[in-house]
Amino acid sequence: MKGAGVAPGHDPVPAGRRARAALDAAERLLDTARRLLDDHTRAVTAIREAFGPLQRELMETELRAIPVSRLRDVTAGRLRLGALEQAGFTSVHEVYEAGRHTLRQVPGVGAHTAGQAVAAATRIAEAVGETVSVRIDVDHPEPRTTALVVALHRLVEAGPGLRRAHDTAERLATELRALLPQAAPARGRLRLALSGRDGRARALGAVGRIRRLLDEAAEAEVPLLFAQMSVDLLREPASEIEAWVDFELRSADYYGVLTQTAGGTPDVAAAEGFMPSEIAGRVRAQPLDDTRLRVSLRGYQSFGARFALAQRRVIIGDEMGLGKTVQAIAALAHLAARGGTHFLVVCPSSVLINWTREIGSRSTLRAIPVHGPERQEAFTEWRERGGVAVTTFDSLHTLPLLRAREGPGDRTGTLRDEPRMLVVDEAHYVKNPDTRRSRAMSDWAEHAGHVLFLTGTPMENRVAEFRSLIRRLQPGLAPAVQGADAVVGAHAFRRAVAPAYLRRNQQDVLAELPALVRVDEWEELSAGDLAAYRTAVADAHFMRMRRAAYARPETSAKLGRLRELVTEAAGNELKVVVFSYFREVLTAVHQALGEGVFGPLSGDMPADRRQRIVDRFGAVPGHAVLLSQIQAGGVGLNMQAASVVILCDPQVKPTLEHQAVARAHRMGQIRPVQVHRLLAVDSVDQRLLDILADKNRLFDAYARRSEMADATPDAIDVAERDIARRIVEEEQLRLAGGADAAGGPGGPVGPGGPGGGSS
């Protein structure tokens, strides 16, 4: 601290006082860190105490089903079980519960046999404990699962910052506990003088390290982070209904916290894509800076992001629903935190809006859509300011590579290592190296620091396609990619191509099956869609506005995305249910998908015929598609054979949507259910969601859970006609630029009204 009138090199604050101030600040920081760790421990303990009885019950059920004879297998046949079997012991559970002392009371069972039997039963119990998965049934809550959900809510609500705060608190607490005693002599001049030469050196060195820790903590705003997380951890427990509602909305986050705190971790080899140990070890050692992320990663997602960073030029081919996008964003965020400025995402036009939204909601990175007539201006902005440029395959060839000038008079420029990462979504779009889009992508990939291809289709089923993609990433690996590896099996194939390919399946890494994953698929209306939409708005026809995105199937953006989702589901042999309010929308979907589609189910179809169609759909091995009006399929039918649900249009009655999803996401479902809701920006879809979001979420969900709400869903939905009139008025004003549109604000809702249209 220097100021006017102070001699150079002279510090007006005595060194002892400055040291005491630093040590006092360090003790306060240590105390804050300890309190945070204690609060976190209490929250984790509450989860484990709620989880324990549920896990033990599942273990006991499993152990009761294992015959006592299996104990002999564990001991390689050395265990004599005759006396135990004669005494009535029939299951491993009975031996495990009995213990050594009880078994020794059995005639013919000595101390050695009793010890062996209990040890074998314990080994089996431990193995069972690692494999059983506690599933939280939202449709049948009971006191024990309610206690678990309430306990989990505290950590889920704290958000992704909690893990960062916890890890930082642990590191600071460890360092400060060691440094403060060493630095203690620096509190007083006399005490420091009496410490001897070595003691003084240790004390002053410790003070210096403490100051650096304090500066780093202040720069990273650690005290503020600790304060925020402490507030979250010390909140009053959520009410039971609030916790259950929140669980319904983001069950994946709850299961993620449960896995981190109470065990139940999926098989590590599967979570790491059955990767050879030397590559897996290198990936695990790769740091992952999450300071610019807004979400917590599951363990397998963290591994995927590290894989992309450590191996630099790779394909992540996880099964759909496992979060390939968030893994890519995590890798981008890490590079940005380490100084990266320019990143590029290339994707089909149907998912460009989703990428832009996901980057903004899941990270602090700035996404810039580089698409459409203003793409050159957007590209210039990205080149000058940095961020994540999101462009399409068809636009990429129009964008010049980033160049850095060597000097003022240099016109040629030299290529930089930019972008720091190139992400290519739906990478199979560039499998043919001779196409213009593939050549453009290869030019960018050649000069990118990292390249990440994403695809949801299993490459072991497409060896030639994989070889083509791998040549763009790691040419030296391409000759080693042989079809024979795929013939041997998926695991063998993945091991053979491990340096460049990572794939995980849902059943391998999501131990909490079934989870519910919701994705809003935002699309821009095509020119044809927009023309039909404008006409419907001008006519004040609300129902035609809702289905305008499908009025011209040949150019429909929503239909294009629907076909992509169905194709990916087919590649993974997943069954799909497609819901729409409108029969003519389902007709357009049927025509777009072609033959082999079941349905559509409709409201005027007899119930027994609907059930027969659903049964045939479920009986088909592998992939199949079922179409249904949401009013017909949303009630009374069980569609748990499907694990992908596509909603063609948002509903005025939220209960219709919830009930339709519940047809697939229910008891009997053995896979996570993915719900894709197709939405159009700047349209009735967006207005409808904005209005419905204003409703009280807690009351709506509570009413949905009541028996009366299930019987009379109309009772809790807002007035449809009011919603329709409001949206029509707003859209007429918006499209007319504030002037009265045809029909005028306050005009008729249109033929059929909010409940009319095709049914």
Side-chain angles (χ1 to χ4, degrees):
M1 207 170 152
K2 297 180 181 179
V6 179
H10 177 71
D11 191 339
V13 180
R17 191 185 305 170
R18 285 193 296 115
R20 284 194 297 275
L23 296 185
D24 289 343
E27 286 180 345
R28 289 193 297 272
L29 184 60
L30 174 59
D31 186 54
T32 303
R34 281 172 170 163
R35 288 202 304 271
L36 176 68
L37 292 173
D38 288 344
D39 295 339
H40 182 267
T41 298
R42 279 192 291 273
V44 170
T45 299
I47 292 171
R48 290 175 177 166
E49 288 177 348
F51 175 78
L54 295 168
Q55 185 190 40
R56 282 193 295 275
E57 181 179 293
L58 290 174
M59 283 179 56
E60 289 171 2
T61 301
E62 292 279 341
L63 292 175
R64 286 191 181 96
I66 301 175
V68 72
S69 59
R70 291 294 302 278
L71 296 175
R72 191 180 289 109
D73 299 337
V74 177
T75 60
R78 293 191 300 271
L79 181 61
R80 297 177 181 178
L81 295 172
L84 290 176
E85 291 173 335
Q86 289 176 8
F89 286 86
T90 60
S91 71
V92 171
H93 176 260
E94 291 170 345
V95 174
Y96 181 70
E97 286 293 308
R100 287 185 177 85
H101 178 73
T102 300
L103 293 184
R104 288 185 62 182
Q105 312 307 311
V106 176
V109 177
H112 179 71
T113 299
Q116 269 194 321
V118 171
T122 301
R123 285 180 60 188
I124 293 176
E126 290 171 349
V128 168
E130 292 175 358
T131 59
V132 297
S133 298
V134 172
R135 298 179 183 179
I136 302 172
D137 185 1
V138 70
D139 293 321
H140 300 91
E142 47 101 0
R144 293 181 305 171
T145 54
T146 297
L148 178 59
V149 171
V150 170
L152 288 167
H153 179 271
R154 186 183 298 278
L155 294 191
V156 171
E157 192 67 15
L162 179 57
R163 187 182 65 180
R164 188 158 57 249
H166 176 269
D167 293 347
T168 303
E170 274 195 332
R171 178 177 58 81
L172 284 173
T174 299
E175 288 205 57
L176 291 176
R177 273 195 295 260
L179 289 170
L180 282 169
Q182 294 177 23
R187 283 187 172 278
R189 186 176 301 173
L190 179 60
R191 187 175 174 185
L192 188 62
L194 295 175
S195 298
R197 177 190 245 170
D198 292 343
R200 281 197 299 274
R202 280 195 301 273
L204 295 176
V207 170
R209 175 58 184 154
I210 286 172
R211 284 181 178 145
R212 287 194 295 276
L213 285 175
L214 292 173
D215 289 343
E216 291 168 3
E219 184 177 354
E221 297 184 328
V222 168
L224 177 61
L225 176 64
F226 284 178
Q228 291 171 335
M229 292 302 104
S230 292
V231 168
D232 288 334
L233 289 173
L234 293 174
R235 291 185 195 279
E236 287 294 315
S239 68
E240 293 180 359
I241 186 60
E242 181 184 358
W244 273 114
V245 168
D246 196 54
F247 173 81
E248 254 189 294
L249 294 173
R250 44 177 177 167
S251 61
D253 292 344
Y254 279 73
Y255 280 121
V257 170
L258 181 60
T259 298
Q260 293 166 10
T261 56
T265 304
D267 178 61
V268 173
E272 296 179 349
F274 302 97
M275 193 161 287
S277 58
E278 64 274 12
I279 298 178
R282 182 162 64 250
V283 172
R284 288 188 218 110
Q286 165 68 43
L288 182 62
D289 191 329
D290 64 354
T291 54
R292 300 201 63 177
L293 274 182
R294 288 191 171 120
V295 293
S296 295
L297 299 178
R298 305 291 289 271
Y300 73 88
Q301 291 173 334
S302 175
F303 185 86
R306 294 170 195 270
F307 175 74
L309 295 167
Q311 298 298 98
R312 299 184 72 87
R313 306 174 75 82
V314 300
I315 299 173
I316 292 182
D318 288 343
E319 188 175 7
M320 62 190 298
L322 292 183
K324 293 185 290 294
T325 300
V326 77
Q327 294 175 62
I329 292 172
L332 295 172
H334 168 89
L335 293 172
R338 299 301 175 92
T341 57
H342 290 75
F343 309 93
L344 178 63
V345 173
V346 185
C347 61
S349 58
S350 59
V351 294
L352 182 140
I353 295 173
N354 286 324
W355 266 102
T356 304
R357 286 172 174 259
E358 289 288 287
I359 291 167
S361 64
R362 296 176 180 270
S363 74
T364 62
L365 304 180
R366 177 170 165 268
I368 305 171
V370 182
H371 178 53
E374 298 180 355
R375 63 180 176 273
Q376 294 300 339
E377 291 83 353
F379 180 80
T380 300
E381 179 188 350
W382 172 64
R383 184 176 57 198
E384 294 174 352
R385 297 183 55 194
V388 184
V390 186
T391 193
T392 66
F393 290 107
D394 294 329
S395 297
L396 184 63
H397 75 277
T398 69
L399 307 178
L401 294 169
L402 294 187
R403 293 180 181 272
R405 301 294 176 126
E406 287 186 335
D410 180 29
R411 292 180 174 273
T412 61
T414 56
L415 292 175
R416 298 184 294 183
D417 187 22
E418 294 289 6
R420 282 290 296 275
M421 175 172 273
L422 166 66
V423 178
V424 181
D425 194 12
E426 306 290 355
H428 53 273
Y429 274 59
V430 291
K431 63 184 177 183
N432 184 349
D434 298 326
T435 61
R436 184 172 63 182
R437 64 173 56 160
S438 294
R439 290 195 299 269
M441 186 279 301
S442 294
D443 289 342
W444 279 92
E446 184 179 349
H447 301 288
H450 293 74
V451 182
L452 173 57
F453 284 2
L454 303 177
T455 177
T457 56
M459 288 289 103
E460 49 266 47
N461 296 344
R462 296 166 170 79
V463 177
E465 185 176 311
F466 179 82
R467 193 182 290 115
S468 172
L469 294 176
I470 209 67
R471 283 196 185 97
R472 253 71 64 79
L473 297 172
Q474 298 188 26
L477 186 61
V481 179
Q482 302 296 329
D485 294 320
V487 172
V488 173
H491 295 175
F493 177 82
R494 293 179 208 170
R495 286 182 179 276
V497 298
Y501 179 55
L502 174 65
R503 176 175 172 84
R504 281 77 56 91
N505 297 325
Q506 290 179 337
Q507 62 187 19
D508 290 333
V509 297
L510 292 183
E512 75 276 1
L513 300 180
L516 184 64
V517 181
R518 298 177 184 268
V519 181
D520 282 348
E521 305 277 356
W522 287 95
E523 311 296 332
E524 284 183 323
L525 292 172
S526 69
D529 298 339
L530 188 56
Y533 184 70
R534 285 180 176 273
T535 300
V537 172
D539 292 342
H541 199 304
F542 180 66
M543 299 307 256
R544 220 164 58 223
M545 288 165 60
R546 291 183 60 198
R547 58 182 187 267
Y550 302 92
R552 301 183 183 179
E554 64 279 2
T555 60
S556 169
K558 282 192 178 184
L559 269 182
R561 181 56 181 155
L562 185 147
R563 278 193 295 263
E564 291 173 352
L565 292 170
V566 171
T567 299
E568 187 168 346
N572 290 286
E573 298 190 341
L574 302 178
K575 285 187 167 63
V576 182
V577 176
V578 179
F579 287 113
S580 175
Y581 187 85
F582 305 100
R583 190 181 299 174
E584 64 189 70
V585 169
L586 294 176
T587 299
V589 172
H590 201 165
Q591 292 171 347
L593 297 180
E595 297 300 319
V597 175
F598 291 86
L601 308 181
S602 61
D604 56 6
M605 184 181 290
D608 58 343
R609 186 181 168 201
R610 276 184 278 167
Q611 188 60 61
R612 285 197 300 272
I613 293 174
V614 172
D615 292 343
R616 290 206 309 273
F617 164 74
V620 172
H623 172 70
V625 179
L626 172 66
L627 309 182
S628 176
Q629 277 192 282
I630 200 163
Q631 313 92 303
V635 178
L637 294 173
N638 295 334
M639 301 174 178
Q640 59 263 41
S643 52
V644 178
V645 176
I646 300 177
L647 302 169
C648 292
D649 29 75
Q651 301 306 304
V652 181
K653 296 181 179 181
T655 45
L656 274 180
E657 214 168 275
H658 296 310
Q659 289 169 346
V661 172
R663 295 310 97 203
H665 186 244
R666 59 190 300 105
M667 290 299 291
Q669 173 59 254
I670 60 171
R671 300 177 65 83
V673 175
Q674 304 163 48
V675 180
H676 297 267
R677 184 164 56 172
L678 302 178
L679 303 165
V681 295
D682 292 330
S683 75
V684 60
D685 295 353
Q686 192 161 338
R687 306 292 168 254
L688 183 57
L689 295 189
D690 290 344
I691 290 173
L692 295 178
D694 291 339
K695 295 178 63 180
N696 185 296
R697 186 187 75 181
L698 189 59
F699 172 78
D700 176 55
Y702 179 83
R704 267 197 296 111
R705 300 182 62 80
S706 73
E707 291 181 5
M708 183 171 292
D710 289 338
T712 56
D714 291 345
I716 65 162
D717 285 310
V718 294
E720 294 175 76
R721 186 168 294 275
D722 291 343
I723 288 181
R725 182 172 290 107
R726 175 177 167 186
I727 291 175
V728 167
E729 291 174 358
E730 289 179 355
E731 286 298 272
Q732 287 179 333
L733 285 170
R734 183 180 68 84
L735 293 179
D740 287 350
V749 170
S758 301
S759 62

